[in-house]
Amino acid sequence: MEALETKLGDGRYRVLSLDGGGAKGFYTLGVLHHVEAMVRRPLHECFDLIFGTSTGAIIAALLALGKNVEEIHQLYREHVPTIMKRKLPWSKSKALAELSQEVFGDAKFDAVKTDVGIVAIKWRIERPMIFKSSLRQAHGRKDTFVPGFGVTIGDAVQASASAFPFFCRKVVETAGSGRIELVDGGYGANNPALYAIADATVAIKAPPQDVRVLSIGVGEYPTPKKSIIRPAWWLNRLPTVRLLQKVMEINTQSMDQLRTILFRQILTVRVSEAFTSPEMATDMFEHDLGKLDLLRQRGTESFGKQEDALRTLLL
């Protein structure tokens, strides 16, 4: 078998997997700030594959396009509070679409600097749809493969982050299947590490003993006594923020348990802590910048607790 070319040329195939969690992505950025400093290079030059769901998809796409972590952090500080404090779904989605156009423009998946996977869910047929950048990642239908199904990165990211019913569903125009209605990838794989490992070991055929996976969550927090977002009266019959978060947290833990069982032989470091103090109460729609900065600080602390394991994994 032909030797697999890897980013750092040492034969180790490195995977970065980023969970969904809305505004709690500030925690992820706190971890990544120190990861980037540790490897002493932009993360697209270290990781051979970057997967993301929802807020993780936004970060993954920006990293794959060559942005550094501090640039992404500044975008989050400027825009996340503004988007999350909007109350109506159409208003949230409109703000997200405008930001996406500003940040990603019309860039498509052939513009990324490393392989990437963005997870969304097909609303009508209840199946995952994973936007991928490279034919190497295809598990089938290789003759008709088009990077990202021909969709722009911005549209794919919006779809992955469309936490219905608090955001509107996202319709994308694909190259081979026409118009598809999508919702947040967190409904299917809020923790996308399993999908990333499947690409690495099955599609790309990296030997499992050479695969290294860094899986970063958004932390677990107490539920606010009063939800940060209060749905209008006409949304009363739809899921609450608390239920939405519970569904995604259960999904996250289930996916990680499966990863541990099925891919025990693959060296993986999972960074995501539970914080129980009342001051840490928050949810995915947090828009208080002080609290968001605290989440980032918690990510920094979580990195410190696993620094030795991360050094072994990445260096």
Side-chain angles (χ1 to χ4, degrees):
M1 182 182 294
E2 184 179 348
L4 185 69
E5 292 186 11
T6 60
K7 286 284 183 176
L8 299 185
D10 59 2
R12 293 181 177 179
Y13 190 88
R14 294 171 175 83
V15 176
L16 176 61
S17 172
L18 305 176
D19 286 14
K24 293 182 290 182
F26 274 80
Y27 174 93
T28 307
L29 293 171
V31 179
L32 289 174
H33 171 77
H34 292 279
V35 171
E36 187 177 66
M38 173 182 282
V39 300
R40 299 182 180 181
R41 66 188 72 219
L43 293 181
H44 74 270
E45 294 182 5
C46 175
F47 290 97
D48 299 279
L49 177 62
I50 304 178
F51 254 69
T53 297
S54 197
T55 195
I58 298 171
I59 298 170
L62 290 168
L63 290 174
L65 286 169
K67 297 287 186 183
N68 63 47
V69 176
E70 184 54 31
E71 287 177 303
I72 301 171
H73 175 229
Q74 290 305 318
L75 282 171
Y76 265 57
R77 280 183 59 87
E78 182 179 354
H79 296 287
V80 167
T82 301
I83 293 173
M84 292 307 186
K85 70 172 53 173
R86 298 194 178 204
K87 292 181 170 55
L88 298 176
W90 67 265
S91 181
K92 274 185 166 59
S93 292
K94 181 174 182 290
L96 181 61
E98 290 171 350
L99 175 59
S100 176
Q101 182 60 39
E102 177 185 334
V103 172
F104 296 107
D106 296 324
K108 293 195 173 183
F109 280 80
D110 55 5
V112 297
K113 300 175 184 294
T114 194
D115 287 342
V116 67
I118 302 300
V119 181
I121 299 295
K122 297 177 183 178
W123 174 252
R124 295 190 181 279
I125 63 173
E126 300 162 350
R127 294 289 187 276
M129 183 171 187
I130 305 177
F131 297 89
K132 302 181 181 184
S133 56
S134 171
L135 179 62
R136 292 185 295 271
Q137 297 169 256
H139 293 266
R141 293 178 286 184
K142 294 189 176 185
D143 292 331
T144 56
F145 178 86
V146 177
F149 303 102
V151 171
T152 66
I153 293 174
D155 279 351
V157 164
Q158 286 178 64
S160 183
S162 291
F164 180 79
F166 301 101
F167 284 78
C168 298
R169 298 187 290 269
K170 175 67 178 177
V171 176
V172 300
E173 186 73 39
T174 66
S177 302
R179 292 166 64 83
I180 299 177
E181 191 174 23
L182 301 168
V183 295
D184 198 297
Y187 284 112
N190 201 53
N191 170 357
L194 269 179
Y195 284 129
I197 292 171
D199 273 16
T201 58
V202 179
I204 296 169
K205 295 181 171 48
Q209 68 271 20
D210 294 334
V211 176
R212 302 290 185 269
V213 179
L214 172 53
S215 174
I216 304 178
V218 296
E220 299 173 45
Y221 309 91
T223 302
K225 291 182 179 179
K226 292 185 178 180
S227 176
I228 290 169
I229 181 172
R230 300 184 195 175
W233 65 268
W234 48 271
L235 280 175
N236 283 343
R237 292 176 180 263
L238 296 176
T240 64
V241 174
R242 182 176 298 184
L243 177 58
L244 176 62
Q245 288 214 144
K246 181 63 70 174
V247 167
M248 292 189 175
E249 286 169 6
I250 291 171
N251 177 287
T252 295
Q253 299 303 327
S254 298
M255 296 292 278
D256 199 53
Q257 186 174 8
L258 278 172
R259 177 197 57 78
T260 301
I261 293 169
L262 296 174
F263 296 104
R264 188 179 299 274
Q265 76 277 29
I266 292 179
L267 183 58
T268 301
V269 174
R270 171 76 175 164
V271 183
S272 190
E273 284 191 80
F275 302 97
T276 59
S277 62
E279 68 172 357
M280 292 305 301
T282 191
D283 65 28
M284 63 190 297
F285 295 105
E286 181 66 68
H287 52 261
D288 180 276
L289 197 51
K291 178 64 69 67
L292 295 173
D293 285 340
L294 183 57
L295 298 186
R296 184 170 184 263
Q297 292 165 24
R298 293 302 195 194
T300 293
E301 293 168 5
S302 294
F303 170 89
K305 292 177 182 178
Q306 300 207 55
E307 184 171 0
D308 290 343
L310 289 167
R311 193 172 295 278
T312 299
L313 184 83
L314 299 174
L315 300 181

